[in-house]
Amino acid sequence: IIRKRENSDKKKQTEELIRVTSGISDRVNPDYAKKPKVARIEEDLLGILMNHPEYVTLPCPDKPLSEDDFFTELGKRLFGFISAEQQADGFSTSALSGTFNYDEVSRAMSMFHARRDFSNDEKSYKTNAEYLKRETNKPASASLEDIISAKRNKT
C-alpha cells in the first residue's frame, strides 16, 4: 500500500511538472498552451519591443504590427500598452505596474531581461513579426469532432 501510494505521488508530481513546463497550467497567459510556438515568438517580440520601443512603427514587411497580429490576450494587451506609451511620451517598464497585476509585470520583466542582449534586434524583430502575422492569420484547424464527422459523412 505504501509503495503504491509513493508511486502514485511520483506520477502526480511528474504530470504536474510536465503541465507546468509545457505552459498548460500557466495562469498569467493561459492561451500559451494553445500554440506554444506562437506564444514564444510573441514573448520574443514583446521583449525586443520593451528594449526597443521605437520598433513599434517598423513595417513588417509592409505595415507595422497591430494588436490583432498577436495570438494571446496577454500579448495583445502588452503590445497595446507599449504602443500607446511609446506614442504618448515614450515607453518605460516602470509604467507596467500601473496597468498590469504583479504576475503579469513579472512575466513582462522576464521577457524584457531575456531579450536584453539580443544581437541584430531589428532583424530578429522583423523576422519574428512576419512569422507571427502568418501564424496568427492562419485559419483555425478543424477540431477532432469536425474531422470525425467529416470522415463519417464520406462513408
Side-chain angles (χ1 to χ4, degrees):
I1 293 172
I2 293 172
R3 193 175 306 128
K4 284 183 181 180
R5 188 176 302 142
E6 287 174 351
N7 287 340
S8 174
D9 289 344
K10 283 182 184 179
K11 185 176 179 181
K12 286 178 185 176
Q13 288 175 347
T14 303
E15 288 172 353
E16 179 65 21
L17 180 63
I18 290 170
R19 255 195 316 280
V20 168
T21 56
S22 67
I24 292 173
S25 64
D26 190 346
R27 287 178 278 151
V28 177
N29 193 2
D31 296 330
Y32 190 99
K34 294 176 186 173
K35 289 186 178 180
K37 187 173 182 178
V38 176
R40 277 192 302 275
I41 295 294
E42 274 188 8
E43 289 186 359
D44 285 342
L45 282 169
L46 292 166
I48 293 170
L49 275 175
M50 284 187 270
N51 284 287
H52 301 282
E54 66 274 9
Y55 290 177
V56 167
T57 58
L58 280 179
C60 305
D62 53 349
K63 64 179 184 171
L65 282 175
S66 70
E67 286 182 46
D68 296 333
D69 293 322
F70 285 81
F71 174 71
T72 66
E73 286 302 314
L74 179 62
K76 289 178 184 187
R77 289 180 40 234
L78 267 172
F79 178 80
F81 181 79
I82 295 167
S83 180
E85 287 290 311
Q86 180 63 17
Q87 290 174 2
D89 57 350
F91 172 76
S92 171
T93 55
S94 60
L96 290 169
S97 60
T99 304
F100 297 93
N101 68 38
Y102 176 79
D103 292 333
E104 292 168 337
V105 171
S106 177
R107 174 69 62 89
M109 292 309 294
S110 69
M111 291 178 211
F112 172 75
H113 290 294
R115 280 74 177 184
R116 178 181 272 168
D117 297 324
F118 264 19
S119 61
N120 296 326
D121 284 329
E122 188 173 334
K123 183 178 179 186
S124 297
Y125 177 78
K126 286 185 174 185
T127 303
N128 287 340
E130 289 174 20
Y131 176 82
L132 182 65
K133 282 183 176 187
R134 189 173 55 250
E135 289 299 311
T136 303
N137 295 323
K138 270 186 182 178
S141 59
S143 68
L144 182 58
E145 292 82 19
D146 294 338
I147 294 170
I148 291 170
S149 67
K151 293 275 186 187
R152 286 182 181 155
N153 291 338
K154 285 183 181 180
T155 56

